[in-house]
Amino acid sequence: MLRLILTYASSNGLSRALVFLAVPLLSNFLEATDLGIYTLTQTVSQLIVPLITFNTGIALMREIIDNPRPVDLLFQWITLFAVLIIALGAVFLQISFSWVAIALIIGSAEAIQSSAVAIFQGKEQAGHIFGVALFRNLMFGTTVAVAYIHKFDVKTLLFVQAAVYCISAVAAFILARRLVRRSLVDAAKGEKIGLKAMFLYSALTLPHTAFLWLSASSDRLLLGAIRGKGALGEYAIAFTFGQIALLVTSGVAMALPPRVARDPENWTNQAFLRRFTLLTGAACLAAHLFALVVIYVDRLTIHQFSKMTSDGVYIIAIISTAAFSSIMYVLYASFLFHHRSTSKLPMAATLAGLTNLVSMSGMVYAFGAVGAAAGLLISYLSFGFFYSRVAAAVHPESRGTFPLLGGGVVVYLLVALGLSKLMSML
């Protein structure tokens, strides 16, 4: 599994992180307000993905082996809908520039690619995932490099990014369709579930994704609304470095659901889970330490990240902990996906989401950027807690795992803050 996690982390994790990892470079020539626009565009585009797909990536991954025909039909409908939204966004851009229209295009292209990746996951085609991600990362990395050299304005940068994502989506669609067609040939007669049933149990997870996105993005949305886009641009730099831990946890998030489906008992074994938490935490802390070293070297040399505030190293520690804690709700959601029992997710997601919005608003208003980071950590922890309750109802063996995982998060936070404190003293 470690090899699979590393493959996913180096592909999907890097793809997601690279968008925000570009922020420190962009801060060299973009004003804080433009950085805020860039960050808002990336954040909102992530909401577009589940709205376009109705979160059916879960069904595409879960059913591609046993039920390829409805998967094929569902994938085509998702792609058609996404293409229509892209066309609509392009029409809006012909009238005037709007970062919302750009977010629609980027999110729709991402929806096509994420649906294709879900199919690759179900077939455990890590090579396909890595290849598609490498293709997009190289194009996007080149875009950032050219933007850095020629000092693009934020409009030009977002236009080029949208084009890159559309090209990548086409490549992912072609690969996925070939894989689905092969699955249709190899499929056994008599499929077990139809398109309607697939859509329904996937759509029930949409409130989960929407509230999770809202909770996980509310730090930036509320900080921008309450403290302004300038404060958001400064926060985005520290947020970016903290998100480096996402390189690890996104790989875990991709590898976990199929593994839990194949051997759910293993993931409730205390010894196995303790070892898994320890290894994942160590990998995330290594990423956190790497971020601190980069900042320290920059402070001594080129001062690329001078716009980051003095609280930045502590924000990085809190964001890194939030990324690590995300493995909790991923694990509990995986138990629900395994049982196709998603009917209780909307209630759990609503309770967690509303609680988080209230607490996040208060923390951002009172403590600014540090409060936004702390609110994000609380959001992930609350999702983990509420989902653990729901998972225990359908998979009783999962009871008793939350204290172990929660304890791991507390230890991680203390170590990360200690490293950041040491960094601030150097």
Side-chain angles (χ1 to χ4, degrees), residues 80-95:
L80 177 60
F81 186 38
V83 169
L84 290 175
I85 299 299
I86 290 172
L88 182 62
V91 170
F92 285 148
L93 288 176
Q94 294 298 316
I95 301 172

Side-chain angles (χ1 to χ4, degrees), residues 68-283:
R69 295 183 191 282
V71 165
D72 182 32
L73 185 59
L74 183 58
F75 182 48
Q76 291 184 59
W77 276 109
I78 291 170
T79 302
L80 177 60
F81 186 38
V83 169
L84 290 175
I85 299 299
I86 290 172
L88 182 62
V91 170
F92 285 148
L93 288 176
Q94 294 298 316
I95 301 172
S96 65
F97 174 80
S98 168
W99 67 265
V100 176
I102 292 287
L104 279 173
I105 295 173
I106 292 175
S108 299
E110 181 76 7
I112 297 173
Q113 178 156 325
S114 67
S115 297
V117 167
I119 292 172
F120 300 153
Q121 278 182 265
K123 298 286 285 187
E124 289 203 345
Q125 293 291 324
H128 283 53
I129 296 174
F130 182 80
V132 169
L134 180 62
F135 177 64
R136 189 173 77 177
N137 291 343
L138 287 175
M139 288 196 299
F140 182 73
T142 302
T143 298
V144 173
V146 173
Y148 182 84
I149 294 170
H150 294 284
K151 303 297 185 289
F152 283 178
D153 59 24
V154 70
K155 294 181 181 180
T156 304
L157 176 62
L158 291 174
F159 272 124
V160 177
Q161 182 190 355
V164 164
Y165 273 47
C166 287
I167 295 170
S168 178
V170 171
F173 175 79
I174 292 172
L175 282 175
R177 284 288 293 143
R178 289 178 178 175
L179 189 62
V180 170
R181 282 199 294 268
R182 286 201 298 268
S183 298
L184 288 171
V185 173
D186 299 335
K189 293 182 179 179
E191 295 176 336
K192 303 173 184 177
I193 187 171
L195 177 61
K196 182 179 178 181
M198 282 174 50
F199 182 83
L200 285 177
Y201 86 74
S202 296
L204 285 173
T205 67
L206 189 57
H208 144 74
T209 302
F211 275 108
L212 179 59
W213 173 88
L214 193 57
S215 297
S217 304
S218 58
D219 59 330
R220 283 148 284 161
L221 296 175
L222 289 173
L223 184 62
I226 296 173
R227 297 295 181 99
K229 291 186 175 66
L232 175 59
E234 294 172 352
Y235 174 74
I237 301 174
F239 176 85
T240 295
F241 281 108
Q243 287 279 285
I244 289 179
L246 192 68
L247 290 173
V248 178
T249 57
S250 63
V252 173
M254 292 185 71
L256 218 53
R259 296 287 166 165
V260 171
R262 289 182 177 85
D263 189 11
E265 290 75 18
N266 203 31
W267 292 94
T268 56
N269 180 280
Q270 292 281 322
F272 177 84
L273 204 56
R274 187 178 295 109
R275 185 167 61 252
F276 167 75
T277 304
L278 180 63
L279 290 175
T280 305

Side-chain angles (χ1 to χ4, degrees), residues 219 223 227 231 234-235 309 311 315 363-364 367-374:
D219 59 330
L223 184 62
R227 297 295 181 99
E234 294 172 352
Y235 174 74
T309 62
D311 293 330
I315 293 174
M363 297 195 72
V364 170
F367 304 107
V370 175

Side-chain angles (χ1 to χ4, degrees), residues 369-380:
V370 175
L376 183 63
L377 174 57
I378 293 171
S379 294
Y380 281 132

